[in-house]
Short mmCIF file of all heavy atoms in Angstrom, two decimals:
data_model
loop_
_atom_site.label_atom_id
_atom_site.label_comp_id
_atom_site.label_asym_id
_atom_site.label_seq_id
_atom_site.Cartn_x
_atom_site.Cartn_y
_atom_site.Cartn_z
N ILE A 27 2.10 16.47 6.31
CA ILE A 27 2.10 16.87 7.71
C ILE A 27 2.38 18.36 7.83
O ILE A 27 3.35 18.87 7.26
CB ILE A 27 3.08 16.00 8.55
CG1 ILE A 27 3.10 16.48 10.00
CG2 ILE A 27 4.48 15.97 7.97
CD1 ILE A 27 3.58 15.44 10.98
N GLY A 28 1.51 19.03 8.57
CA GLY A 28 1.59 20.48 8.68
C GLY A 28 2.11 20.93 10.03
O GLY A 28 1.57 21.87 10.61
N SER A 29 3.15 20.27 10.53
CA SER A 29 3.69 20.63 11.84
C SER A 29 5.11 21.15 11.70
O SER A 29 5.94 20.53 11.01
CB SER A 29 3.71 19.39 12.75
OG SER A 29 4.51 19.65 13.88
N GLY A 30 5.40 22.26 12.39
CA GLY A 30 6.77 22.79 12.41
C GLY A 30 7.73 21.82 13.08
O GLY A 30 8.94 21.92 12.91
N ASN A 31 7.21 20.89 13.83
CA ASN A 31 8.06 19.89 14.51
C ASN A 31 8.23 18.62 13.68
O ASN A 31 8.81 17.64 14.15
CB ASN A 31 7.48 19.56 15.88
CG ASN A 31 7.56 20.75 16.82
OD1 ASN A 31 8.64 21.33 16.98
ND2 ASN A 31 6.45 21.14 17.40
N GLY A 32 7.71 18.66 12.46
CA GLY A 32 7.88 17.53 11.54
C GLY A 32 7.40 16.22 12.14
O GLY A 32 6.46 16.19 12.94
N ASP A 34 8.93 14.54 14.27
CA ASP A 34 9.40 14.36 15.65
C ASP A 34 8.44 14.94 16.68
O ASP A 34 8.59 14.71 17.88
CB ASP A 34 10.77 15.03 15.83
CG ASP A 34 11.81 14.40 14.93
OD1 ASP A 34 11.70 13.18 14.68
OD2 ASP A 34 12.71 15.12 14.47
N GLY A 35 7.46 15.74 16.24
CA GLY A 35 6.54 16.36 17.18
C GLY A 35 5.40 15.43 17.56
O GLY A 35 5.41 14.23 17.23
N ALA A 36 4.45 16.01 18.27
CA ALA A 36 3.31 15.21 18.73
C ALA A 36 2.49 14.68 17.55
O ALA A 36 2.06 13.51 17.54
CB ALA A 36 2.42 16.07 19.63
N THR A 37 2.30 15.51 16.53
CA THR A 37 1.49 15.10 15.38
C THR A 37 2.20 14.00 14.60
O THR A 37 1.60 12.97 14.25
CB THR A 37 1.21 16.32 14.46
OG1 THR A 37 0.78 17.42 15.28
CG2 THR A 37 0.14 16.01 13.44
N GLY A 38 3.50 14.23 14.36
CA GLY A 38 4.29 13.24 13.61
C GLY A 38 4.36 11.91 14.35
O GLY A 38 4.28 10.84 13.73
N THR A 39 4.49 11.97 15.66
CA THR A 39 4.57 10.74 16.46
C THR A 39 3.27 9.95 16.33
O THR A 39 3.28 8.72 16.21
CB THR A 39 4.87 11.08 17.93
OG1 THR A 39 6.07 11.85 17.97
CG2 THR A 39 5.03 9.85 18.78
N THR A 107 -2.25 17.56 11.11
CA THR A 107 -1.92 18.93 11.52
C THR A 107 -2.02 19.08 13.04
O THR A 107 -2.88 18.46 13.66
CB THR A 107 -2.90 19.93 10.85
OG1 THR A 107 -2.53 21.28 11.21
CG2 THR A 107 -4.35 19.72 11.27
N PRO A 108 -1.15 19.91 13.61
CA PRO A 108 -1.44 20.34 14.99
C PRO A 108 -2.59 21.33 14.94
O PRO A 108 -2.79 22.00 13.91
CB PRO A 108 -0.14 21.02 15.43
CG PRO A 108 0.56 21.42 14.17
CD PRO A 108 0.10 20.50 13.08
N VAL A 109 -3.34 21.44 16.02
CA VAL A 109 -4.36 22.49 16.11
C VAL A 109 -3.64 23.77 16.51
O VAL A 109 -2.94 23.80 17.51
CB VAL A 109 -5.44 22.14 17.16
CG1 VAL A 109 -6.41 23.31 17.33
CG2 VAL A 109 -6.19 20.87 16.77
N HIS A 110 -3.79 24.80 15.68
CA HIS A 110 -3.22 26.10 16.00
C HIS A 110 -4.36 27.11 16.06
O HIS A 110 -5.04 27.35 15.05
CB HIS A 110 -2.18 26.53 14.96
CG HIS A 110 -0.84 25.89 15.16
ND1 HIS A 110 0.24 26.11 14.33
CD2 HIS A 110 -0.41 25.02 16.12
CE1 HIS A 110 1.28 25.43 14.78
NE2 HIS A 110 0.92 24.74 15.86
N SER A 111 -4.56 27.69 17.24
CA SER A 111 -5.64 28.66 17.44
C SER A 111 -6.97 28.14 16.89
O SER A 111 -7.62 28.80 16.07
CB SER A 111 -5.28 30.01 16.82
OG SER A 111 -4.02 30.43 17.27
N PHE A 112 -7.30 26.94 17.29
CA PHE A 112 -8.57 26.30 16.93
C PHE A 112 -8.74 26.07 15.44
O PHE A 112 -9.86 26.07 14.93
CB PHE A 112 -9.77 27.10 17.50
CG PHE A 112 -9.74 27.19 19.00
CD1 PHE A 112 -9.21 28.30 19.62
CD2 PHE A 112 -10.19 26.13 19.77
CE1 PHE A 112 -9.13 28.37 21.01
CE2 PHE A 112 -10.12 26.19 21.15
CZ PHE A 112 -9.59 27.31 21.77
N HIS A 113 -7.63 25.86 14.73
CA HIS A 113 -7.73 25.58 13.29
C HIS A 113 -6.53 24.76 12.87
O HIS A 113 -5.72 24.36 13.72
CB HIS A 113 -7.80 26.92 12.53
CG HIS A 113 -8.57 26.84 11.25
ND1 HIS A 113 -8.06 26.23 10.12
CD2 HIS A 113 -9.80 27.26 10.91
CE1 HIS A 113 -8.95 26.30 9.15
NE2 HIS A 113 -10.03 26.91 9.61
N SER A 143 -5.17 15.05 13.94
CA SER A 143 -4.75 16.32 14.57
C SER A 143 -4.28 16.03 15.98
O SER A 143 -4.70 15.05 16.61
CB SER A 143 -5.90 17.33 14.58
OG SER A 143 -6.99 16.86 15.35
N THR A 144 -3.40 16.90 16.47
CA THR A 144 -3.05 16.88 17.89
C THR A 144 -3.22 18.29 18.43
O THR A 144 -3.13 19.27 17.69
CB THR A 144 -1.62 16.40 18.18
OG1 THR A 144 -0.68 17.36 17.68
CG2 THR A 144 -1.35 15.04 17.58
N ALA A 145 -3.51 18.36 19.71
CA ALA A 145 -3.73 19.66 20.36
C ALA A 145 -3.35 19.53 21.82
O ALA A 145 -3.12 18.43 22.33
CB ALA A 145 -5.20 20.05 20.23
N ALA A 146 -3.32 20.69 22.49
CA ALA A 146 -3.16 20.66 23.94
C ALA A 146 -4.48 20.23 24.58
O ALA A 146 -4.49 19.54 25.59
CB ALA A 146 -2.73 22.01 24.46
N GLY A 147 -5.60 20.63 23.96
CA GLY A 147 -6.86 20.26 24.59
C GLY A 147 -8.11 20.48 23.77
O GLY A 147 -9.13 19.85 24.03
N ALA A 148 -8.08 21.35 22.75
CA ALA A 148 -9.33 21.65 22.05
C ALA A 148 -9.08 22.17 20.64
O ALA A 148 -8.01 22.71 20.36
CB ALA A 148 -10.12 22.72 22.83
N GLY A 149 -10.08 21.97 19.79
CA GLY A 149 -10.02 22.53 18.44
C GLY A 149 -9.99 21.49 17.33
O GLY A 149 -9.93 21.85 16.15
N HIS A 150 -10.06 20.21 17.71
CA HIS A 150 -10.01 19.16 16.68
C HIS A 150 -11.19 19.27 15.72
O HIS A 150 -11.06 19.00 14.53
CB HIS A 150 -10.04 17.77 17.33
CG HIS A 150 -8.91 17.54 18.29
ND1 HIS A 150 -7.61 17.39 17.86
CD2 HIS A 150 -8.89 17.45 19.63
CE1 HIS A 150 -6.83 17.21 18.92
NE2 HIS A 150 -7.58 17.24 20.01
N VAL A 174 -6.13 13.99 18.92
CA VAL A 174 -5.57 13.54 20.20
C VAL A 174 -4.98 14.73 20.96
O VAL A 174 -4.31 15.58 20.37
CB VAL A 174 -4.47 12.47 19.95
CG1 VAL A 174 -3.65 12.21 21.21
CG2 VAL A 174 -5.10 11.18 19.45
N ASN A 175 -5.25 14.77 22.25
CA ASN A 175 -4.66 15.79 23.12
C ASN A 175 -3.34 15.25 23.68
O ASN A 175 -3.34 14.28 24.45
CB ASN A 175 -5.60 16.14 24.26
CG ASN A 175 -6.87 16.79 23.74
OD1 ASN A 175 -6.86 17.43 22.69
ND2 ASN A 175 -7.97 16.62 24.46
N GLY A 176 -2.24 15.88 23.26
CA GLY A 176 -0.92 15.40 23.65
C GLY A 176 -0.75 15.17 25.14
O GLY A 176 -0.31 14.09 25.57
N PRO A 177 -1.11 16.16 25.97
CA PRO A 177 -0.87 15.98 27.42
C PRO A 177 -1.63 14.78 27.99
O PRO A 177 -1.16 14.15 28.94
CB PRO A 177 -1.40 17.29 28.03
CG PRO A 177 -1.32 18.29 26.91
CD PRO A 177 -1.60 17.52 25.66
C1 FMN B 15 0.65 28.69 17.70
C2 FMN B 15 0.03 27.58 18.46
C3 FMN B 15 -1.34 27.56 18.63
C4 FMN B 15 -1.95 26.52 19.33
N1 FMN B 15 -3.30 26.51 19.45
C5 FMN B 15 -3.90 25.52 20.11
C6 FMN B 15 -5.33 25.47 20.21
O1 FMN B 15 -6.06 26.29 19.66
N2 FMN B 15 -5.88 24.45 20.92
C7 FMN B 15 -5.11 23.51 21.54
O2 FMN B 15 -5.67 22.66 22.21
N3 FMN B 15 -3.76 23.50 21.42
C8 FMN B 15 -3.14 24.47 20.70
N4 FMN B 15 -1.77 24.45 20.57
C9 FMN B 15 -1.01 23.30 21.06
C10 FMN B 15 -0.66 22.32 19.92
O3 FMN B 15 -1.80 22.04 19.14
C11 FMN B 15 -0.15 20.99 20.46
O4 FMN B 15 0.93 21.20 21.32
C12 FMN B 15 0.22 20.04 19.34
O5 FMN B 15 0.15 18.73 19.81
C13 FMN B 15 1.60 20.29 18.79
O6 FMN B 15 1.88 19.39 17.74
P1 FMN B 15 3.33 19.31 17.08
O7 FMN B 15 4.28 18.82 18.12
O8 FMN B 15 3.20 18.36 15.95
O9 FMN B 15 3.68 20.71 16.64
C14 FMN B 15 -1.16 25.48 19.88
C15 FMN B 15 0.23 25.52 19.71
C16 FMN B 15 0.81 26.54 19.01
C17 FMN B 15 2.30 26.52 18.81
#
Side-chain angles (χ1 to χ4, degrees):
I27 178 158
S29 166
N31 293 308
D34 298 328
T37 313
T39 304
T107 183
V109 175
H110 280 179
S111 308
F112 299 97
H113 209 286
S143 62
T144 68
H150 302 289
V174 167
N175 295 332

